[in-house]
Amino acid sequence: MAERRDGHDGGGCAEPDDAMTRVFGVFGKRWTGLVVAALMSGPGHFAVLRRSIPGISERMLSDRLSELAALDLVSREVDPGPPLRVMYRLTEAGENLRPALVELSRWAERHLVDGAEKCPKALRE
């Protein structure tokens, strides 16, 4: 078998690089991408985000927002109230995901059946 320019012979599977492994460690979790997509249209309070992502539980949304905040992709701002409200927004690092997510959305519309109906509007911009 002829060897390709990248040094692989084309047989078997190549191991993903460390960066790709980290990306899918984050975005491979259910709901993470949709939480980021919901925030791409602008900041939102917890209740608004919950309504914008059909099927996500409060606990799961809270977990995903906490994980994204720990990765510095989302910021959390507490409005003292009353009532106490929390606003979430993408950080600069989170905003930098926009081109990649928009391109993934375009790919899905071209290659996945019924992709356009299920694609969040924020990803189609």
Side-chain angles (χ1 to χ4, degrees), residues 32-105:
T32 301
L34 291 177
V35 172
V36 172
L39 289 168
M40 284 175 55
S41 60
H45 289 100
F46 187 90
V48 173
L49 291 172
R50 172 91 167 42
R51 285 191 301 270
S52 70
I53 307 170
I56 194 170
S57 69
E58 288 186 14
R59 172 67 188 236
M60 185 60 66
L61 178 58
S62 179
D63 288 351
R64 292 301 176 256
L65 287 166
S66 293
E67 291 169 1
L68 290 166
L71 293 167
D72 195 35
L73 297 175
V74 169
S75 68
R76 181 180 187 272
E77 301 165 16
V78 178
D79 301 329
L84 180 84
R85 292 176 52 145
V86 180
M87 174 76 77
Y88 295 90
R89 72 179 70 243
L90 292 176
T91 62
E92 183 179 350
E95 279 292 338
N96 287 336
L97 288 165
R98 184 182 300 273
L101 294 177
V102 167
E103 196 54 40
L104 279 172
S105 176

Side-chain angles (χ1 to χ4, degrees), residues 22-40:
R22 289 178 298 177
V23 165
F24 282 100
V26 173
F27 284 94
K29 292 181 180 177
R30 187 171 186 195
W31 305 110
T32 301
L34 291 177
V35 172
V36 172
L39 289 168
M40 284 175 55

